[in-house]
């Protein structure tokens, strides 16, 4: 079970010791990842009494995922920006096959420059059509789903992304999962947005269309990247703040050994 407070404190101390610009996580220190809150009370936060205990950070990001899904599934879908992560939209087209006209709904993702520039990540993205309306995930909307003030929701999202950036800056691999939508998988300098097959089916209403999207490699299934190899043999999972073992993709390098040392200093070393 992740002790998020201790984890982010280790990152702050490691950042200071390494002579880097200091990163701090004041909001994450007050939230939990998998632990239920005792009495659902946090210092300085007034919570809605109608809510019972829940996993805080994951709940907030689950609400983000649902907001994105709702926008993408509208009859006139919008491009949806998750600030600091990337932009989602849906590309539609008609195809005449086997005597019938099929409608394809292909979800697409463009990686945010803030992420891509961290270590020159390579990511294939489809431009958002000029005529498509673009909206950003609303912190106010997310706040309506969880018992926190809007500022806490916004800070939680930003600090989660700051931690994600920290891991990428140190050249570690990571998966950022948006529940029931898909997973952004980072391996080395490659970034892949893989979508949930259930979401593809909900979007297209046809198993044949979904199968064709996958077999033609027009989209990638999150099942394909779940255990994609990493040269470290492990992947950081967000927003759970966990480390998951995956197949090792390459031999140790000097860079790997340097990062092993960093992980140890953060209390995260050792085989997973």
């Amino acid at each position: 079970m992740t002790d998020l407070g201790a984890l982010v404190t280790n990152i702050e101390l490691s950042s200071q010791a390494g002579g880097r610009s200091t990163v701090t996580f004041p909001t994450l220190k007050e939230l939990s990842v998998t632990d239920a809150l005792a009495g659902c009370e946090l210092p300085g936060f007034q919570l809605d009494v109608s809510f019972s205990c829940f996993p805080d950070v994951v709940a907030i990001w689950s609400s983000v995922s649902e907001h994105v899904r709702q926008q993408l599934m509208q009859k006139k879908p919008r491009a949806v920006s998750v600030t600091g992560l990337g932009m989602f939209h849906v590309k539609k087209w008609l195809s005449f096959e086997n005597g019938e006209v099929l409608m394809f709904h292909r979800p697409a993702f463009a990686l945010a420059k803030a992420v891509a520039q961290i270590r020159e990540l390579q990511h294939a993205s489809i431009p958002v059509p000029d005529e498509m309306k673009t909206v950003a995930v609303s912190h106010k909307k997310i706040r309506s789903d969880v018992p926190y003030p809007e500022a806490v929701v916004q800070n939680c999202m930003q600090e989660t992304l700051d931690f994600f950036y920290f891991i990428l800056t140190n050249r570690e691999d990571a998966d950022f999962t948006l529940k029931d939508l898909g997973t952004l998988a980072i391996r080395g300098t490659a970034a892949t947005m893989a979508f949930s097959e259930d979401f593809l089916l909900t979007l297209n209403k046809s198993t044949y269309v979904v199968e064709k999207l996958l077999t033609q490699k027009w989209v990638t299934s999150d099942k394909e990247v779940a255990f994609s190899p990493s040269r470290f043999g492990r992947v950081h999972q967000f927003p759970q703040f966990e480390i998951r073992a995956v197949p090792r993709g390459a031999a140790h390098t000097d860079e790997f050994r340097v990062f092993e040392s960093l992980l140890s200093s953060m209390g995260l070393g050792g085989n997973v």
Side-chain angles (χ1 to χ4, degrees):
M1 205 172 277
T2 304
D3 184 341
L4 184 54
L7 182 61
V8 296
T9 298
N10 283 338
I11 294 293
E12 291 172 342
L13 294 174
S14 175
S15 174
Q16 294 171 13
R20 308 161 188 237
S21 57
T22 303
V23 290
T24 59
F25 308 92
T27 301
L28 290 183
K29 286 180 178 179
E30 302 290 356
L31 299 174
S32 71
V33 180
T34 55
D35 291 336
L37 295 177
C40 293
E41 295 180 356
L42 293 177
F45 299 160
Q46 184 175 357
L47 306 186
D48 296 340
V49 296
S50 59
F51 282 79
S52 59
C53 300
F54 59 94
D56 316 308
V57 178
V58 174
I60 288 171
W61 279 100
S62 293
S63 183
V64 173
S65 305
E66 182 58 27
H67 181 73
V68 174
R69 279 171 52 92
Q70 289 174 0
Q71 296 295 325
L72 295 180
M73 292 176 64
Q74 291 186 17
K75 289 185 178 180
K76 290 186 177 180
R78 302 171 177 178
V80 191
S81 170
V82 180
T83 303
L85 189 65
M87 176 86 72
F88 293 89
H89 75 282
V90 173
K91 177 179 174 60
K92 296 182 181 181
W93 74 92
L94 297 174
S95 177
F96 187 76
E97 298 185 23
N98 301 321
E100 64 177 322
V101 177
L102 298 176
M103 171 69 81
F104 286 82
H105 294 75
R106 174 188 181 184
F109 176 76
L111 191 66
K113 290 183 179 179
V115 183
Q117 292 175 350
I118 290 175
R119 64 186 199 212
E120 299 182 349
L121 293 172
Q122 304 299 311
H123 174 70
S125 60
I126 302 173
V128 177
D130 293 337
E131 67 275 11
M132 183 174 286
K133 183 177 180 179
T134 299
V135 298
V137 168
S138 166
H139 299 119
K140 185 175 182 179
K141 170 65 175 175
I142 304 309
R143 182 262 173 274
S144 68
D145 295 336
V146 294
Y148 286 122
E150 186 176 340
V152 173
V153 171
Q154 183 174 358
N155 292 340
C156 171
M157 292 175 62
Q158 184 57 58
E159 290 175 26
T160 302
L161 289 170
D162 287 342
F163 195 111
F164 178 57
Y165 299 160
F166 181 88
I167 294 300
L168 297 184
T169 298
N170 286 288
R171 310 195 75 79
E172 182 65 82
D173 292 335
D175 285 347
F176 202 113
T177 299
L178 295 176
K179 183 182 178 183
D180 299 326
L181 180 64
T183 296
L184 175 60
I186 310 292
R187 301 292 186 274
T189 58
T192 302
M193 186 67 213
F195 291 94
S196 159
E197 292 185 20
D198 287 341
F199 171 63
L200 294 175
L201 183 57
T202 301
L203 200 61
N204 286 279
K205 313 296 184 185
S206 166
T207 55
Y208 173 80
V209 169
V210 172
E211 289 171 2
K212 183 143 190 179
L213 287 170
L214 296 172
T215 56
Q216 294 295 320
K217 303 299 182 182
W218 290 329
V219 294
T220 302
S221 166
D222 57 359
K223 293 179 181 178
E224 292 183 42
V225 299
F227 292 95
S228 296
S230 166
R231 61 179 173 168
F232 300 104
R234 59 173 158 251
V235 170
H236 290 259
Q237 288 185 284
F238 292 90
Q240 298 89 350
F241 291 87
E242 295 176 350
I243 298 178
R244 177 169 53 84
V246 297
R248 192 179 296 277
H252 284 229
T253 63
D254 290 340
E255 184 181 18
F256 176 85
R257 285 187 284 272
V258 168
F259 198 80
E260 284 276 67
S261 177
L262 176 61
L263 288 175
S264 296
S265 72
M266 291 159 46
L268 299 175
N271 294 327
V272 177

